[in-house]
PDB file of all heavy atoms in Angstrom:
ATOM      1  N   ALA A 162       7.182   9.487  -5.355  1.00  0.00           N
ATOM      2  CA  ALA A 162       6.634  10.745  -4.837  1.00  0.00           C
ATOM      3  C   ALA A 162       5.626  11.345  -5.810  1.00  0.00           C
ATOM      4  O   ALA A 162       4.571  11.845  -5.396  1.00  0.00           O
ATOM      5  CB  ALA A 162       7.769  11.731  -4.573  1.00  0.00           C
ATOM      6  N   LEU A 163       5.924  11.288  -7.102  1.00  0.00           N
ATOM      7  CA  LEU A 163       5.006  11.826  -8.108  1.00  0.00           C
ATOM      8  C   LEU A 163       3.699  11.041  -8.130  1.00  0.00           C
ATOM      9  O   LEU A 163       2.619  11.623  -8.247  1.00  0.00           O
ATOM     10  CB  LEU A 163       5.669  11.813  -9.488  1.00  0.00           C
ATOM     11  CG  LEU A 163       6.823  12.815  -9.678  1.00  0.00           C
ATOM     12  CD1 LEU A 163       7.565  12.522 -10.971  1.00  0.00           C
ATOM     13  CD2 LEU A 163       6.293  14.248  -9.681  1.00  0.00           C
ATOM     14  N   GLU A 164       3.789   9.726  -8.009  1.00  0.00           N
ATOM     15  CA  GLU A 164       2.578   8.897  -7.977  1.00  0.00           C
ATOM     16  C   GLU A 164       1.746   9.194  -6.732  1.00  0.00           C
ATOM     17  O   GLU A 164       0.527   9.059  -6.740  1.00  0.00           O
ATOM     18  CB  GLU A 164       2.967   7.414  -8.007  1.00  0.00           C
ATOM     19  CG  GLU A 164       3.506   6.962  -9.363  1.00  0.00           C
ATOM     20  CD  GLU A 164       4.011   5.533  -9.346  1.00  0.00           C
ATOM     21  OE1 GLU A 164       3.859   4.866  -8.293  1.00  0.00           O
ATOM     22  OE2 GLU A 164       4.552   5.082 -10.362  1.00  0.00           O
ATOM     23  N   GLN A 165       2.411   9.618  -5.704  1.00  0.00           N
ATOM     24  CA  GLN A 165       1.744   9.986  -4.448  1.00  0.00           C
ATOM     25  C   GLN A 165       1.057  11.347  -4.561  1.00  0.00           C
ATOM     26  O   GLN A 165       0.254  11.729  -3.713  1.00  0.00           O
ATOM     27  CB  GLN A 165       2.816  10.004  -3.345  1.00  0.00           C
ATOM     28  CG  GLN A 165       2.311  10.115  -1.944  1.00  0.00           C
ATOM     29  CD  GLN A 165       3.478  10.220  -0.962  1.00  0.00           C
ATOM     30  OE1 GLN A 165       4.608  10.510  -1.335  1.00  0.00           O
ATOM     31  NE2 GLN A 165       3.198   9.980   0.292  1.00  0.00           N
ATOM     32  N   GLY A 166       1.392  12.098  -5.620  1.00  0.00           N
ATOM     33  CA  GLY A 166       0.814  13.424  -5.808  1.00  0.00           C
ATOM     34  C   GLY A 166       1.648  14.543  -5.241  1.00  0.00           C
ATOM     35  O   GLY A 166       1.206  15.693  -5.188  1.00  0.00           O
ATOM     36  N   ARG A 167       2.875  14.221  -4.814  1.00  0.00           N
ATOM     37  CA  ARG A 167       3.741  15.257  -4.276  1.00  0.00           C
ATOM     38  C   ARG A 167       4.454  15.993  -5.407  1.00  0.00           C
ATOM     39  O   ARG A 167       4.689  15.443  -6.475  1.00  0.00           O
ATOM     40  CB  ARG A 167       4.765  14.645  -3.305  1.00  0.00           C
ATOM     41  CG  ARG A 167       4.109  14.099  -2.058  1.00  0.00           C
ATOM     42  CD  ARG A 167       5.071  13.296  -1.206  1.00  0.00           C
ATOM     43  NE  ARG A 167       6.188  14.116  -0.792  1.00  0.00           N
ATOM     44  CZ  ARG A 167       7.435  13.675  -0.718  1.00  0.00           C
ATOM     45  NH1 ARG A 167       7.733  12.441  -1.076  1.00  0.00           N
ATOM     46  NH2 ARG A 167       8.402  14.470  -0.301  1.00  0.00           N
ATOM     47  N   ARG A 168       4.811  17.238  -5.137  1.00  0.00           N
ATOM     48  CA  ARG A 168       5.463  18.066  -6.150  1.00  0.00           C
ATOM     49  C   ARG A 168       6.948  17.736  -6.214  1.00  0.00           C
ATOM     50  O   ARG A 168       7.675  17.875  -5.230  1.00  0.00           O
ATOM     51  CB  ARG A 168       5.270  19.549  -5.811  1.00  0.00           C
ATOM     52  CG  ARG A 168       5.839  20.489  -6.855  1.00  0.00           C
ATOM     53  CD  ARG A 168       5.681  21.922  -6.408  1.00  0.00           C
ATOM     54  NE  ARG A 168       6.295  22.857  -7.337  1.00  0.00           N
ATOM     55  CZ  ARG A 168       6.473  24.139  -7.092  1.00  0.00           C
ATOM     56  NH1 ARG A 168       6.065  24.642  -5.934  1.00  0.00           N
ATOM     57  NH2 ARG A 168       7.039  24.928  -7.972  1.00  0.00           N
ATOM     58  N   ARG A 169       7.411  17.291  -7.373  1.00  0.00           N
ATOM     59  CA  ARG A 169       8.805  16.955  -7.599  1.00  0.00           C
ATOM     60  C   ARG A 169       9.167  17.247  -9.052  1.00  0.00           C
ATOM     61  O   ARG A 169       8.301  17.200  -9.932  1.00  0.00           O
ATOM     62  CB  ARG A 169       9.081  15.464  -7.304  1.00  0.00           C
ATOM     63  CG  ARG A 169       9.113  15.118  -5.827  1.00  0.00           C
ATOM     64  CD  ARG A 169      10.329  15.727  -5.141  1.00  0.00           C
ATOM     65  NE  ARG A 169      10.361  15.487  -3.716  1.00  0.00           N
ATOM     66  CZ  ARG A 169       9.816  16.264  -2.806  1.00  0.00           C
ATOM     67  NH1 ARG A 169       9.129  17.335  -3.163  1.00  0.00           N
ATOM     68  NH2 ARG A 169       9.928  15.995  -1.520  1.00  0.00           N
ATOM     69  N   ILE A 170      10.437  17.546  -9.302  1.00  0.00           N
ATOM     70  CA  ILE A 170      10.920  17.678 -10.684  1.00  0.00           C
ATOM     71  C   ILE A 170      11.136  16.280 -11.221  1.00  0.00           C
ATOM     72  O   ILE A 170      11.892  15.493 -10.645  1.00  0.00           O
ATOM     73  CB  ILE A 170      12.232  18.493 -10.732  1.00  0.00           C
ATOM     74  CG1 ILE A 170      11.990  19.907 -10.202  1.00  0.00           C
ATOM     75  CG2 ILE A 170      12.774  18.551 -12.159  1.00  0.00           C
ATOM     76  CD1 ILE A 170      13.254  20.733 -10.052  1.00  0.00           C
ATOM     77  N   ASP A 171      10.461  15.958 -12.305  1.00  0.00           N
ATOM     78  CA  ASP A 171      10.478  14.597 -12.841  1.00  0.00           C
ATOM     79  C   ASP A 171      11.755  14.345 -13.644  1.00  0.00           C
ATOM     80  O   ASP A 171      11.751  14.223 -14.869  1.00  0.00           O
ATOM     81  CB  ASP A 171       9.238  14.367 -13.706  1.00  0.00           C
ATOM     82  CG  ASP A 171       9.069  12.898 -14.091  1.00  0.00           C
ATOM     83  OD1 ASP A 171       9.864  12.060 -13.616  1.00  0.00           O
ATOM     84  OD2 ASP A 171       8.147  12.601 -14.869  1.00  0.00           O
ATOM     85  N   LEU A 172      12.847  14.290 -12.924  1.00  0.00           N
ATOM     86  CA  LEU A 172      14.150  14.018 -13.538  1.00  0.00           C
ATOM     87  C   LEU A 172      14.957  13.205 -12.542  1.00  0.00           C
ATOM     88  O   LEU A 172      15.409  13.728 -11.527  1.00  0.00           O
ATOM     89  CB  LEU A 172      14.870  15.326 -13.881  1.00  0.00           C
ATOM     90  CG  LEU A 172      16.249  15.210 -14.539  1.00  0.00           C
ATOM     91  CD1 LEU A 172      16.165  14.403 -15.836  1.00  0.00           C
ATOM     92  CD2 LEU A 172      16.822  16.602 -14.813  1.00  0.00           C
ATOM     93  N   GLY A 173      15.100  11.919 -12.826  1.00  0.00           N
ATOM     94  CA  GLY A 173      15.748  11.014 -11.892  1.00  0.00           C
ATOM     95  C   GLY A 173      17.264  11.109 -11.927  1.00  0.00           C
ATOM     96  O   GLY A 173      17.868  11.585 -12.897  1.00  0.00           O
ATOM     97  N   CYS A 174      17.883  10.636 -10.863  1.00  0.00           N
ATOM     98  CA  CYS A 174      19.348  10.748 -10.773  1.00  0.00           C
ATOM     99  C   CYS A 174      20.049   9.841 -11.776  1.00  0.00           C
ATOM    100  O   CYS A 174      21.154  10.169 -12.242  1.00  0.00           O
ATOM    101  CB  CYS A 174      19.815  10.471  -9.355  1.00  0.00           C
ATOM    102  SG  CYS A 174      19.346   8.896  -8.680  1.00  0.00           S
ATOM    103  N   ARG A 175      19.445   8.715 -12.160  1.00  0.00           N
ATOM    104  CA  ARG A 175      20.079   7.855 -13.172  1.00  0.00           C
ATOM    105  C   ARG A 175      20.222   8.595 -14.495  1.00  0.00           C
ATOM    106  O   ARG A 175      21.253   8.493 -15.175  1.00  0.00           O
ATOM    107  CB  ARG A 175      19.263   6.575 -13.369  1.00  0.00           C
ATOM    108  CG  ARG A 175      19.561   5.483 -12.372  1.00  0.00           C
ATOM    109  CD  ARG A 175      19.036   4.135 -12.836  1.00  0.00           C
ATOM    110  NE  ARG A 175      19.504   3.073 -11.972  1.00  0.00           N
ATOM    111  CZ  ARG A 175      18.909   2.672 -10.867  1.00  0.00           C
ATOM    112  NH1 ARG A 175      17.791   3.278 -10.482  1.00  0.00           N
ATOM    113  NH2 ARG A 175      19.403   1.693 -10.131  1.00  0.00           N
ATOM    114  N   GLU A 176      19.176   9.345 -14.863  1.00  0.00           N
ATOM    115  CA  GLU A 176      19.241  10.095 -16.119  1.00  0.00           C
ATOM    116  C   GLU A 176      20.301  11.188 -16.043  1.00  0.00           C
ATOM    117  O   GLU A 176      21.031  11.422 -17.020  1.00  0.00           O
ATOM    118  CB  GLU A 176      17.875  10.697 -16.429  1.00  0.00           C
ATOM    119  CG  GLU A 176      17.827  11.408 -17.785  1.00  0.00           C
ATOM    120  CD  GLU A 176      16.456  11.919 -18.148  1.00  0.00           C
ATOM    121  OE1 GLU A 176      15.479  11.579 -17.440  1.00  0.00           O
ATOM    122  OE2 GLU A 176      16.361  12.661 -19.148  1.00  0.00           O
ATOM    123  N   ILE A 177      20.406  11.851 -14.910  1.00  0.00           N
ATOM    124  CA  ILE A 177      21.420  12.905 -14.756  1.00  0.00           C
ATOM    125  C   ILE A 177      22.822  12.311 -14.844  1.00  0.00           C
ATOM    126  O   ILE A 177      23.702  12.854 -15.530  1.00  0.00           O
ATOM    127  CB  ILE A 177      21.213  13.642 -13.419  1.00  0.00           C
ATOM    128  CG1 ILE A 177      19.949  14.502 -13.504  1.00  0.00           C
ATOM    129  CG2 ILE A 177      22.423  14.508 -13.062  1.00  0.00           C
ATOM    130  CD1 ILE A 177      19.537  15.152 -12.221  1.00  0.00           C
ATOM    131  N   VAL A 178      23.038  11.178 -14.176  1.00  0.00           N
ATOM    132  CA  VAL A 178      24.350  10.506 -14.233  1.00  0.00           C
ATOM    133  C   VAL A 178      24.677  10.097 -15.666  1.00  0.00           C
ATOM    134  O   VAL A 178      25.808  10.282 -16.153  1.00  0.00           O
ATOM    135  CB  VAL A 178      24.363   9.285 -13.293  1.00  0.00           C
ATOM    136  CG1 VAL A 178      25.582   8.404 -13.566  1.00  0.00           C
ATOM    137  CG2 VAL A 178      24.343   9.728 -11.834  1.00  0.00           C
ATOM    138  N   GLN A 179      23.666   9.564 -16.354  1.00  0.00           N
ATOM    139  CA  GLN A 179      23.884   9.125 -17.740  1.00  0.00           C
ATOM    140  C   GLN A 179      24.201  10.298 -18.652  1.00  0.00           C
ATOM    141  O   GLN A 179      25.139  10.241 -19.467  1.00  0.00           O
ATOM    142  CB  GLN A 179      22.634   8.393 -18.240  1.00  0.00           C
ATOM    143  CG  GLN A 179      22.777   7.831 -19.652  1.00  0.00           C
ATOM    144  CD  GLN A 179      21.512   7.108 -20.107  1.00  0.00           C
ATOM    145  OE1 GLN A 179      20.430   7.330 -19.547  1.00  0.00           O
ATOM    146  NE2 GLN A 179      21.635   6.257 -21.095  1.00  0.00           N
ATOM    147  N   ARG A 180      23.436  11.377 -18.530  1.00  0.00           N
ATOM    148  CA  ARG A 180      23.677  12.544 -19.386  1.00  0.00           C
ATOM    149  C   ARG A 180      25.039  13.173 -19.108  1.00  0.00           C
ATOM    150  O   ARG A 180      25.670  13.723 -20.013  1.00  0.00           O
ATOM    151  CB  ARG A 180      22.583  13.589 -19.164  1.00  0.00           C
ATOM    152  CG  ARG A 180      21.235  13.212 -19.726  1.00  0.00           C
ATOM    153  CD  ARG A 180      20.295  14.403 -19.666  1.00  0.00           C
ATOM    154  NE  ARG A 180      18.974  14.076 -20.161  1.00  0.00           N
ATOM    155  CZ  ARG A 180      18.021  14.981 -20.392  1.00  0.00           C
ATOM    156  NH1 ARG A 180      18.259  16.267 -20.125  1.00  0.00           N
ATOM    157  NH2 ARG A 180      16.842  14.626 -20.837  1.00  0.00           N
ATOM    158  N   ALA A 181      25.485  13.079 -17.873  1.00  0.00           N
ATOM    159  CA  ALA A 181      26.778  13.652 -17.510  1.00  0.00           C
ATOM    160  C   ALA A 181      27.944  12.769 -17.938  1.00  0.00           C
ATOM    161  O   ALA A 181      29.105  13.194 -17.892  1.00  0.00           O
ATOM    162  CB  ALA A 181      26.832  13.881 -16.005  1.00  0.00           C
ATOM    163  N   GLY A 182      27.628  11.545 -18.325  1.00  0.00           N
ATOM    164  CA  GLY A 182      28.690  10.612 -18.676  1.00  0.00           C
ATOM    165  C   GLY A 182      29.537  10.243 -17.469  1.00  0.00           C
ATOM    166  O   GLY A 182      30.731   9.925 -17.597  1.00  0.00           O
TER     167      GLY A 182
END
Side-chain angles (χ1 to χ4, degrees):
L163 290 169
E164 289 174 5
Q165 191 184 17
R167 293 171 60 218
R168 184 183 176 190
R169 286 291 177 271
I170 298 173
D171 190 4
L172 180 57
C174 57
R175 276 196 171 87
E176 184 176 351
I177 289 173
V178 167
Q179 183 180 20
R180 288 190 182 190

